[in-house]
Amino acid sequence: MNGLLLCTPECNLRCKYCFEETIHSGEMLPVEKIRSDFNEFLDKRFRKFIEEIIAINISLGRKDTDITFHGGEPLLIGHDLLRKGCEIVKSYPNTTIGMQTNTTLVDDEFIDLFRKYNISIGTSIDGPKYMHDAYRTNAVGHGSFDVVYRNILRLKESGVPVGALATVTDMTLQSPEEFYGFFRENHLDFSFSPCFSDPHLPKTYKPLDIDKYISFARRMFDLWINDKGSNISITCFDRIISAMCVKKEIYMEVCSFLPDCSRTTVAIVPNGDFYRCLHYCMDGEHRIGNIETDSLVCALGDEAFGKRCETLFETVCQDCDIQAYCNGGCPYVAEALNGTIYSRPNTCACQKDIVHYIYDYYSAYLKKAETP
């Protein structure tokens, strides 16, 4: 299992499409409170969390254990607590560390820590300045592009592994060429995902039109696959191609498309409560247990999640020909939208279309190659 550590639910940005915005009421908690809570977690709960994940992974035959510092914005914990947390993680063998950060707080000391502990960085940037700043704003409503972009360049120049996740909004749809060109010119590997309607999205966000997003995704694939002068990775395409053309069996290496994500990830918050994933951390209703009183083993596997694919394949997904590339999609999104995990999320049509589009491309390519 991978361990996701929600260092704090607080964030210094106020992105207009963030699903966590509904838990941010007014001003951010004082930094002193954020750090006090996290320090208490490190002292009282973190080692047990790591040790139990390692034990689970050994029982599953997995060599490495990955711990990802997440949020909110994890860098709000500060240099000293990040160092302390990393020292705890690396005191155990076969552990790796990742972090998902908006990079606005990155400075030289953080970069030194990233390098010292071999931390892989994931960040969010939505393309050129006008696309990014339309929705990714700070607490006073100003765009965050300048500081995010500057710090991504600093990370790359320092040799810190960094990749990006871009959220596709109505602004992005206006120019897929400009969007793709931004990542190409900056030699930045990335993935992208659509921002559709969700009960937890703020009312300030206008959901995408699915058909327009499908056209956008097709255009992005065309730009990328025909760009012989670039070697950037677009992860959402790479996963499909690898599953389709490389692996012996179709397997999508992302939680949204796994047959049973309850066997791969667990998320914990500073008070020790653990959940299925970060999405489920937004309320106490989906709490599985607390690391101080409960074994983490109870988070490994869930009967409902385990039966989900079988149930969907016999009902709403029974006629779908890309079942293995989707496995019903993200159960959290399905539940948030429809009230049950035994339903499909609103990304189904997009995933099905792009899988077919990529398949058709390679079929035509191979047919052309075989023609004398």
Side-chain angles (χ1 to χ4, degrees), residues 157-208:
E157 290 167 359
S158 300
V160 176
V162 57
L165 174 63
T167 299
V168 176
T169 69
D170 55 337
M171 297 296 291
T172 325
L173 297 181
Q174 296 178 20
S175 181
E177 293 81 8
E178 193 173 357
F179 176 77
Y180 175 74
F182 171 82
F183 293 97
R184 184 190 192 280
E185 291 164 10
N186 288 285
H187 308 286
L188 183 61
D189 294 340
F190 72 106
S191 188
F192 63 89
S193 60
C195 194
F196 292 143
S197 59
D198 182 307
H200 296 105
L201 281 176
K203 294 181 179 179
T204 52
Y205 177 72
K206 180 181 178 181
L208 291 183

CSV table of all heavy atoms in Angstrom, one decimal, residues 157-208:
chain,number,residue,atom,x,y,z
A,157,GLU,N,16.0,23.2,-12.5
A,157,GLU,CA,17.4,23.6,-12.6
A,157,GLU,C,18.3,23.0,-11.5
A,157,GLU,O,19.5,22.7,-11.6
A,157,GLU,CB,17.5,25.1,-12.5
A,157,GLU,CG,17.0,25.8,-13.8
A,157,GLU,CD,16.8,27.3,-13.6
A,157,GLU,OE1,17.1,27.8,-12.4
A,157,GLU,OE2,16.4,28.0,-14.5
A,158,SER,N,17.6,22.6,-10.3
A,158,SER,CA,18.3,22.0,-9.2
A,158,SER,C,18.4,20.5,-9.3
A,158,SER,O,18.9,19.9,-8.4
A,158,SER,CB,17.6,22.4,-7.9
A,158,SER,OG,17.6,23.8,-7.7
A,159,GLY,N,17.7,20.0,-10.3
A,159,GLY,CA,17.8,18.5,-10.5
A,159,GLY,C,16.7,17.8,-9.7
A,159,GLY,O,16.8,16.5,-9.6
A,160,VAL,N,15.7,18.5,-9.2
A,160,VAL,CA,14.7,17.8,-8.4
A,160,VAL,C,13.6,17.3,-9.4
A,160,VAL,O,13.1,18.0,-10.3
A,160,VAL,CB,14.0,18.8,-7.5
A,160,VAL,CG1,12.8,18.1,-6.8
A,160,VAL,CG2,15.0,19.3,-6.4
A,161,PRO,N,13.3,16.0,-9.4
A,161,PRO,CA,12.3,15.4,-10.3
A,161,PRO,C,10.9,16.1,-10.0
A,161,PRO,O,10.4,16.1,-8.9
A,161,PRO,CB,12.2,13.9,-9.9
A,161,PRO,CG,13.5,13.7,-9.1
A,161,PRO,CD,13.8,14.9,-8.4
A,162,VAL,N,10.4,16.7,-11.1
A,162,VAL,CA,9.1,17.4,-11.0
A,162,VAL,C,8.2,17.1,-12.2
A,162,VAL,O,8.7,17.1,-13.3
A,162,VAL,CB,9.3,18.9,-10.8
A,162,VAL,CG1,10.1,19.5,-11.9
A,162,VAL,CG2,8.0,19.6,-10.6
A,163,GLY,N,7.0,16.8,-11.9
A,163,GLY,CA,6.0,16.6,-13.0
A,163,GLY,C,4.8,17.4,-12.6
A,163,GLY,O,4.6,17.8,-11.5
A,164,ALA,N,3.9,17.6,-13.6
A,164,ALA,CA,2.8,18.5,-13.4
A,164,ALA,C,1.5,17.8,-13.7
A,164,ALA,O,1.4,16.9,-14.5
A,164,ALA,CB,2.9,19.8,-14.3
A,165,LEU,N,0.4,18.3,-13.0
A,165,LEU,CA,-0.9,17.9,-13.3
A,165,LEU,C,-1.7,19.1,-13.7
A,165,LEU,O,-1.7,20.1,-12.9
A,165,LEU,CB,-1.6,17.2,-12.1
A,165,LEU,CG,-3.1,16.8,-12.3
A,165,LEU,CD1,-3.3,15.9,-13.5
A,165,LEU,CD2,-3.7,16.3,-11.0
A,166,ALA,N,-2.3,19.2,-14.8
A,166,ALA,CA,-3.0,20.3,-15.3
A,166,ALA,C,-4.5,20.0,-15.2
A,166,ALA,O,-5.0,18.9,-15.7
A,166,ALA,CB,-2.6,20.7,-16.7
A,167,THR,N,-5.3,20.9,-14.7
A,167,THR,CA,-6.8,20.8,-14.7
A,167,THR,C,-7.3,21.5,-16.0
A,167,THR,O,-7.0,22.7,-16.2
A,167,THR,CB,-7.4,21.4,-13.5
A,167,THR,OG1,-6.9,20.7,-12.3
A,167,THR,CG2,-8.9,21.3,-13.5
A,168,VAL,N,-8.0,20.8,-16.8
A,168,VAL,CA,-8.6,21.4,-18.0
A,168,VAL,C,-9.9,22.1,-17.7
A,168,VAL,O,-10.8,21.5,-17.2
A,168,VAL,CB,-8.8,20.3,-19.1
A,168,VAL,CG1,-9.5,20.9,-20.3
A,168,VAL,CG2,-7.5,19.7,-19.4
A,169,THR,N,-9.9,23.4,-18.0
A,169,THR,CA,-11.1,24.2,-17.7
A,169,THR,C,-11.6,24.8,-19.0
A,169,THR,O,-11.0,24.5,-20.1
A,169,THR,CB,-10.8,25.4,-16.8
A,169,THR,OG1,-9.9,26.3,-17.4
A,169,THR,CG2,-10.1,24.9,-15.5
A,170,ASP,N,-12.6,25.6,-18.9
A,170,ASP,CA,-13.1,26.3,-20.2
A,170,ASP,C,-12.1,27.1,-20.8
A,170,ASP,O,-12.1,27.3,-22.0
A,170,ASP,CB,-14.4,27.1,-19.8
A,170,ASP,CG,-14.2,28.1,-18.7
A,170,ASP,OD1,-13.3,27.9,-17.9
A,170,ASP,OD2,-14.9,29.1,-18.7
A,171,MET,N,-11.2,27.7,-20.0
A,171,MET,CA,-10.1,28.5,-20.6
A,171,MET,C,-9.1,27.6,-21.4
A,171,MET,O,-8.7,28.0,-22.5
A,171,MET,CB,-9.3,29.2,-19.5
A,171,MET,CG,-10.1,30.2,-18.7
A,171,MET,SD,-10.7,31.6,-19.7
A,171,MET,CE,-9.2,32.4,-20.0
A,172,THR,N,-8.9,26.4,-21.0
A,172,THR,CA,-7.9,25.5,-21.6
A,172,THR,C,-8.5,25.1,-23.0
A,172,THR,O,-7.7,25.0,-24.0
A,172,THR,CB,-7.7,24.2,-20.8
A,172,THR,OG1,-7.7,24.6,-19.4
A,172,THR,CG2,-6.4,23.6,-21.2
A,173,LEU,N,-9.8,24.9,-23.0
A,173,LEU,CA,-10.4,24.4,-24.3
A,173,LEU,C,-10.3,25.4,-25.4
A,173,LEU,O,-10.3,25.0,-26.6
A,173,LEU,CB,-11.9,24.1,-24.0
A,173,LEU,CG,-12.2,23.0,-23.0
A,173,LEU,CD1,-13.8,22.9,-23.0
A,173,LEU,CD2,-11.6,21.7,-23.4
A,174,GLN,N,-10.0,26.6,-25.1
A,174,GLN,CA,-9.9,27.6,-26.2
A,174,GLN,C,-8.7,27.4,-27.1
A,174,GLN,O,-8.7,27.8,-28.2
A,174,GLN,CB,-9.9,29.0,-25.5
A,174,GLN,CG,-11.1,29.4,-24.8
A,174,GLN,CD,-11.0,30.8,-24.1
A,174,GLN,OE1,-10.2,31.6,-24.5
A,174,GLN,NE2,-11.8,31.0,-23.1
A,175,SER,N,-7.6,26.8,-26.5
A,175,SER,CA,-6.4,26.7,-27.4
A,175,SER,C,-5.6,25.5,-26.9
A,175,SER,O,-4.6,25.6,-26.1
A,175,SER,CB,-5.6,28.0,-27.3
A,175,SER,OG,-4.4,27.8,-28.1
A,176,PRO,N,-5.9,24.3,-27.4
A,176,PRO,CA,-5.1,23.1,-27.0
A,176,PRO,C,-3.7,23.3,-27.5
A,176,PRO,O,-2.7,22.8,-26.9
A,176,PRO,CB,-5.8,22.0,-27.7
A,176,PRO,CG,-6.7,22.6,-28.7
A,176,PRO,CD,-7.1,23.9,-28.2
A,177,GLU,N,-3.5,24.0,-28.7
A,177,GLU,CA,-2.1,24.1,-29.2
A,177,GLU,C,-1.3,25.0,-28.3
A,177,GLU,O,-0.1,24.6,-28.0
A,177,GLU,CB,-2.2,24.8,-30.6
A,177,GLU,CG,-2.8,24.0,-31.7
A,177,GLU,CD,-4.4,24.0,-31.6
A,177,GLU,OE1,-4.9,24.8,-30.9
A,177,GLU,OE2,-5.0,23.3,-32.4
A,178,GLU,N,-1.8,26.0,-27.7
A,178,GLU,CA,-1.1,26.9,-26.8
A,178,GLU,C,-0.8,26.1,-25.5
A,178,GLU,O,0.3,26.2,-24.9
A,178,GLU,CB,-1.8,28.2,-26.5
A,178,GLU,CG,-1.0,29.2,-25.8
A,178,GLU,CD,-1.8,30.6,-25.8
A,178,GLU,OE1,-2.9,30.7,-26.3
A,178,GLU,OE2,-1.2,31.5,-25.2
A,179,PHE,N,-1.8,25.4,-25.1
A,179,PHE,CA,-1.7,24.6,-23.8
A,179,PHE,C,-0.5,23.5,-24.0
A,179,PHE,O,0.4,23.5,-23.1
A,179,PHE,CB,-3.0,23.9,-23.6
A,179,PHE,CG,-3.0,22.9,-22.4
A,179,PHE,CD1,-3.1,23.4,-21.1
A,179,PHE,CD2,-3.0,21.5,-22.6
A,179,PHE,CE1,-3.1,22.6,-20.0
A,179,PHE,CE2,-3.0,20.7,-21.5
A,179,PHE,CZ,-3.1,21.2,-20.2
A,180,TYR,N,-0.6,22.8,-25.1
A,180,TYR,CA,0.5,21.8,-25.3
A,180,TYR,C,1.8,22.5,-25.5
A,180,TYR,O,2.8,22.0,-24.9
A,180,TYR,CB,0.2,20.9,-26.5
A,180,TYR,CG,1.3,20.0,-26.9
A,180,TYR,CD1,1.5,18.8,-26.1
A,180,TYR,CD2,2.1,20.3,-27.9
A,180,TYR,CE1,2.5,18.0,-26.4
A,180,TYR,CE2,3.2,19.4,-28.3
A,180,TYR,CZ,3.4,18.3,-27.5
A,180,TYR,OH,4.4,17.4,-27.8
A,181,GLY,N,1.9,23.5,-26.2
A,181,GLY,CA,3.1,24.2,-26.5
A,181,GLY,C,3.8,24.7,-25.2
A,181,GLY,O,5.0,24.7,-25.1
A,182,PHE,N,3.0,25.1,-24.2
A,182,PHE,CA,3.6,25.5,-22.9
A,182,PHE,C,4.4,24.4,-22.3
A,182,PHE,O,5.6,24.7,-21.9
A,182,PHE,CB,2.5,26.0,-22.0
A,182,PHE,CG,3.0,26.3,-20.6
A,182,PHE,CD1,3.6,27.5,-20.3
A,182,PHE,CD2,2.9,25.3,-19.6
A,182,PHE,CE1,4.0,27.7,-19.0
A,182,PHE,CE2,3.3,25.6,-18.3
A,182,PHE,CZ,3.9,26.8,-18.0
A,183,PHE,N,3.9,23.2,-22.2
A,183,PHE,CA,4.6,22.1,-21.6
A,183,PHE,C,5.8,21.7,-22.4
A,183,PHE,O,6.9,21.3,-21.9
A,183,PHE,CB,3.7,21.0,-21.3
A,183,PHE,CG,2.7,21.3,-20.2
A,183,PHE,CD1,1.4,21.8,-20.5
A,183,PHE,CD2,3.0,21.3,-18.9
A,183,PHE,CE1,0.5,22.1,-19.6
A,183,PHE,CE2,2.1,21.6,-17.9
A,183,PHE,CZ,0.8,22.0,-18.2
A,184,ARG,N,5.6,21.7,-23.7
A,184,ARG,CA,6.7,21.3,-24.6
A,184,ARG,C,7.9,22.3,-24.5
A,184,ARG,O,9.0,21.8,-24.4
A,184,ARG,CB,6.2,21.3,-26.1
A,184,ARG,CG,7.2,20.8,-27.1
A,184,ARG,CD,6.7,21.1,-28.5
A,184,ARG,NE,7.5,20.4,-29.5
A,184,ARG,CZ,8.7,20.8,-29.9
A,184,ARG,NH1,9.2,22.0,-29.4
A,184,ARG,NH2,9.4,20.1,-30.8
A,185,GLU,N,7.6,23.5,-24.5
A,185,GLU,CA,8.7,24.5,-24.5
A,185,GLU,C,9.4,24.5,-23.1
A,185,GLU,O,10.6,24.9,-23.1
A,185,GLU,CB,8.1,25.9,-24.7
A,185,GLU,CG,7.6,26.2,-26.1
A,185,GLU,CD,6.7,27.4,-26.3
A,185,GLU,OE1,6.6,28.1,-25.3
A,185,GLU,OE2,6.0,27.5,-27.3
A,186,ASN,N,8.7,24.1,-22.1
A,186,ASN,CA,9.4,24.0,-20.8
A,186,ASN,C,9.9,22.6,-20.4
A,186,ASN,O,10.3,22.4,-19.3
A,186,ASN,CB,8.4,24.6,-19.7
A,186,ASN,CG,8.2,26.1,-19.8
A,186,ASN,OD1,9.0,26.8,-19.4
A,186,ASN,ND2,7.0,26.5,-20.3
A,187,HIS,N,9.8,21.7,-21.4
A,187,HIS,CA,10.3,20.3,-21.2
A,187,HIS,C,9.7,19.8,-19.8
A,187,HIS,O,10.5,19.2,-19.0
A,187,HIS,CB,11.8,20.3,-21.1
A,187,HIS,CG,12.4,21.0,-22.3
A,187,HIS,ND1,12.4,20.4,-23.6
A,187,HIS,CD2,13.1,22.2,-22.5
A,187,HIS,CE1,13.0,21.3,-24.4
A,187,HIS,NE2,13.4,22.3,-23.8
A,188,LEU,N,8.4,19.9,-19.7
A,188,LEU,CA,7.8,19.5,-18.4
A,188,LEU,C,6.8,18.4,-18.7
A,188,LEU,O,5.8,18.6,-19.3
A,188,LEU,CB,7.1,20.7,-17.8
A,188,LEU,CG,6.4,20.5,-16.4
A,188,LEU,CD1,7.4,20.2,-15.4
A,188,LEU,CD2,5.7,21.8,-16.0
A,189,ASP,N,7.1,17.2,-18.1
A,189,ASP,CA,6.2,16.1,-18.2
A,189,ASP,C,4.9,16.4,-17.4
A,189,ASP,O,5.0,17.1,-16.4
A,189,ASP,CB,6.8,14.8,-17.6
A,189,ASP,CG,8.0,14.3,-18.4
A,189,ASP,OD1,8.1,14.7,-19.6
A,189,ASP,OD2,8.8,13.6,-17.8
A,190,PHE,N,3.8,16.0,-18.0
A,190,PHE,CA,2.5,16.4,-17.3
A,190,PHE,C,1.4,15.3,-17.6
A,190,PHE,O,1.6,14.5,-18.5
A,190,PHE,CB,2.1,17.8,-17.7
A,190,PHE,CG,1.6,17.9,-19.2
A,190,PHE,CD1,0.2,18.0,-19.4
A,190,PHE,CD2,2.4,17.8,-20.2
A,190,PHE,CE1,-0.3,18.1,-20.7
A,190,PHE,CE2,2.0,17.9,-21.5
A,190,PHE,CZ,0.6,18.1,-21.8
A,191,SER,N,0.4,15.5,-16.9
A,191,SER,CA,-0.9,14.8,-17.2
A,191,SER,C,-2.0,15.9,-17.1
A,191,SER,O,-1.7,17.0,-16.6
A,191,SER,CB,-1.1,13.7,-16.2
A,191,SER,OG,-2.3,12.9,-16.6
A,192,PHE,N,-3.1,15.5,-17.6
A,192,PHE,CA,-4.2,16.5,-17.5
A,192,PHE,C,-5.5,15.8,-17.2
A,192,PHE,O,-5.7,14.6,-17.5
A,192,PHE,CB,-4.4,17.4,-18.8
A,192,PHE,CG,-4.7,16.6,-20.0
A,192,PHE,CD1,-6.0,16.4,-20.4
A,192,PHE,CD2,-3.7,16.1,-20.8
A,192,PHE,CE1,-6.3,15.7,-21.6
A,192,PHE,CE2,-4.0,15.4,-22.0
A,192,PHE,CZ,-5.3,15.2,-22.4
A,193,SER,N,-6.4,16.5,-16.6
A,193,SER,CA,-7.7,15.9,-16.2
A,193,SER,C,-8.8,16.9,-16.3
A,193,SER,O,-8.5,18.1,-16.1
A,193,SER,CB,-7.7,15.3,-14.8
A,193,SER,OG,-7.4,16.3,-13.9
A,194,PRO,N,-10.0,16.5,-16.7
A,194,PRO,CA,-11.1,17.4,-16.8
A,194,PRO,C,-11.7,17.8,-15.5
A,194,PRO,O,-11.7,17.1,-14.5
A,194,PRO,CB,-12.1,16.7,-17.7
A,194,PRO,CG,-11.9,15.2,-17.3
A,194,PRO,CD,-10.4,15.1,-17.0
A,195,CYS,N,-12.2,19.0,-15.4
A,195,CYS,CA,-13.0,19.5,-14.3
A,195,CYS,C,-14.4,19.5,-14.6
A,195,CYS,O,-14.9,20.5,-15.1
A,195,CYS,CB,-12.5,20.9,-13.8
A,195,CYS,SG,-13.0,21.3,-12.2
A,196,PHE,N,-15.1,18.4,-14.3
A,196,PHE,CA,-16.6,18.3,-14.5
A,196,PHE,C,-17.3,18.7,-13.3
A,196,PHE,O,-16.7,19.0,-12.2
A,196,PHE,CB,-16.9,16.9,-15.0
A,196,PHE,CG,-16.4,16.6,-16.4
A,196,PHE,CD1,-16.0,15.3,-16.6
A,196,PHE,CD2,-16.4,17.5,-17.4
A,196,PHE,CE1,-15.5,15.0,-17.9
A,196,PHE,CE2,-15.9,17.2,-18.6
A,196,PHE,CZ,-15.5,15.9,-18.9
A,197,SER,N,-18.6,18.6,-13.3
A,197,SER,CA,-19.4,18.9,-12.2
A,197,SER,C,-19.2,17.9,-11.1
A,197,SER,O,-19.0,16.7,-11.3
A,197,SER,CB,-20.9,18.9,-12.6
A,197,SER,OG,-21.3,17.7,-13.1
A,198,ASP,N,-19.2,18.4,-9.8
A,198,ASP,CA,-19.0,17.5,-8.6
A,198,ASP,C,-19.8,18.3,-7.5
A,198,ASP,O,-19.7,19.5,-7.4
A,198,ASP,CB,-17.5,17.4,-8.3
A,198,ASP,CG,-17.2,16.6,-7.1
A,198,ASP,OD1,-17.8,16.8,-6.1
A,198,ASP,OD2,-16.4,15.6,-7.2
A,199,PRO,N,-20.5,17.5,-6.7
A,199,PRO,CA,-21.2,18.2,-5.6
A,199,PRO,C,-20.3,19.1,-4.7
A,199,PRO,O,-20.8,20.0,-4.0
A,199,PRO,CB,-21.8,17.0,-4.8
A,199,PRO,CG,-21.9,15.9,-5.8
A,199,PRO,CD,-20.7,16.1,-6.7
A,200,HIS,N,-19.0,18.7,-4.6
A,200,HIS,CA,-18.1,19.5,-3.8
A,200,HIS,C,-17.4,20.7,-4.5
A,200,HIS,O,-16.7,21.4,-3.8
A,200,HIS,CB,-17.0,18.6,-3.2
A,200,HIS,CG,-17.6,17.5,-2.3
A,200,HIS,ND1,-17.7,16.2,-2.7
A,200,HIS,CD2,-18.1,17.5,-1.1
A,200,HIS,CE1,-18.2,15.5,-1.7
A,200,HIS,NE2,-18.5,16.3,-0.7
A,201,LEU,N,-17.7,20.9,-5.8
A,201,LEU,CA,-17.1,22.0,-6.4
A,201,LEU,C,-17.8,23.3,-6.0
A,201,LEU,O,-19.0,23.3,-5.9
A,201,LEU,CB,-17.2,21.8,-8.0
A,201,LEU,CG,-16.2,20.9,-8.6
A,201,LEU,CD1,-16.5,20.8,-10.1
A,201,LEU,CD2,-14.8,21.4,-8.4
A,202,PRO,N,-17.0,24.3,-5.9
A,202,PRO,CA,-17.6,25.6,-5.6
A,202,PRO,C,-18.5,26.1,-6.7
A,202,PRO,O,-18.3,25.7,-7.9
A,202,PRO,CB,-16.4,26.6,-5.5
A,202,PRO,CG,-15.2,25.7,-5.3
A,202,PRO,CD,-15.5,24.4,-6.0
A,203,LYS,N,-19.5,26.9,-6.4
A,203,LYS,CA,-20.4,27.4,-7.4
A,203,LYS,C,-19.8,28.4,-8.3
A,203,LYS,O,-20.4,28.8,-9.3
A,203,LYS,CB,-21.6,28.0,-6.7
A,203,LYS,CG,-22.5,27.0,-5.9
A,203,LYS,CD,-23.7,27.6,-5.2
A,203,LYS,CE,-24.5,26.6,-4.5
A,203,LYS,NZ,-25.7,27.2,-3.8
A,204,THR,N,-18.5,28.8,-8.0
A,204,THR,CA,-17.8,29.8,-8.8
A,204,THR,C,-17.3,29.1,-10.1
A,204,THR,O,-16.8,29.8,-11.0
A,204,THR,CB,-16.7,30.4,-8.0
A,204,THR,OG1,-15.9,29.4,-7.5
A,204,THR,CG2,-17.2,31.3,-6.9
A,205,TYR,N,-17.3,27.8,-10.1
A,205,TYR,CA,-16.8,27.1,-11.3
A,205,TYR,C,-17.9,26.6,-12.2
A,205,TYR,O,-18.9,26.1,-11.8
A,205,TYR,CB,-15.9,25.9,-10.9
A,205,TYR,CG,-15.4,25.2,-12.1
A,205,TYR,CD1,-14.4,25.7,-12.8
A,205,TYR,CD2,-16.0,24.0,-12.5
A,205,TYR,CE1,-13.9,25.1,-14.0
A,205,TYR,CE2,-15.5,23.3,-13.6
A,205,TYR,CZ,-14.5,23.9,-14.4
A,205,TYR,OH,-14.0,23.3,-15.5
A,206,LYS,N,-17.6,26.9,-13.5
A,206,LYS,CA,-18.6,26.4,-14.6
A,206,LYS,C,-18.1,25.1,-15.1
A,206,LYS,O,-17.0,25.1,-15.8
A,206,LYS,CB,-18.7,27.5,-15.7
A,206,LYS,CG,-19.6,27.1,-16.8
A,206,LYS,CD,-19.7,28.2,-17.9
A,206,LYS,CE,-20.6,27.8,-19.0
A,206,LYS,NZ,-20.6,28.8,-20.1
A,207,PRO,N,-18.8,24.0,-15.0
A,207,PRO,CA,-18.3,22.7,-15.4
A,207,PRO,C,-18.1,22.6,-16.9
A,207,PRO,O,-18.8,23.4,-17.7
A,207,PRO,CB,-19.5,21.8,-15.0
A,207,PRO,CG,-20.2,22.5,-13.9
A,207,PRO,CD,-20.1,23.9,-14.2
A,208,LEU,N,-17.2,21.7,-17.4
A,208,LEU,CA,-16.9,21.6,-18.8
A,208,LEU,C,-18.1,20.9,-19.5
A,208,LEU,O,-18.8,20.1,-18.9
A,208,LEU,CB,-15.7,20.7,-18.9
A,208,LEU,CG,-14.3,21.3,-18.5
A,208,LEU,CD1,-13.2,20.3,-18.9
A,208,LEU,CD2,-14.1,22.7,-19.2
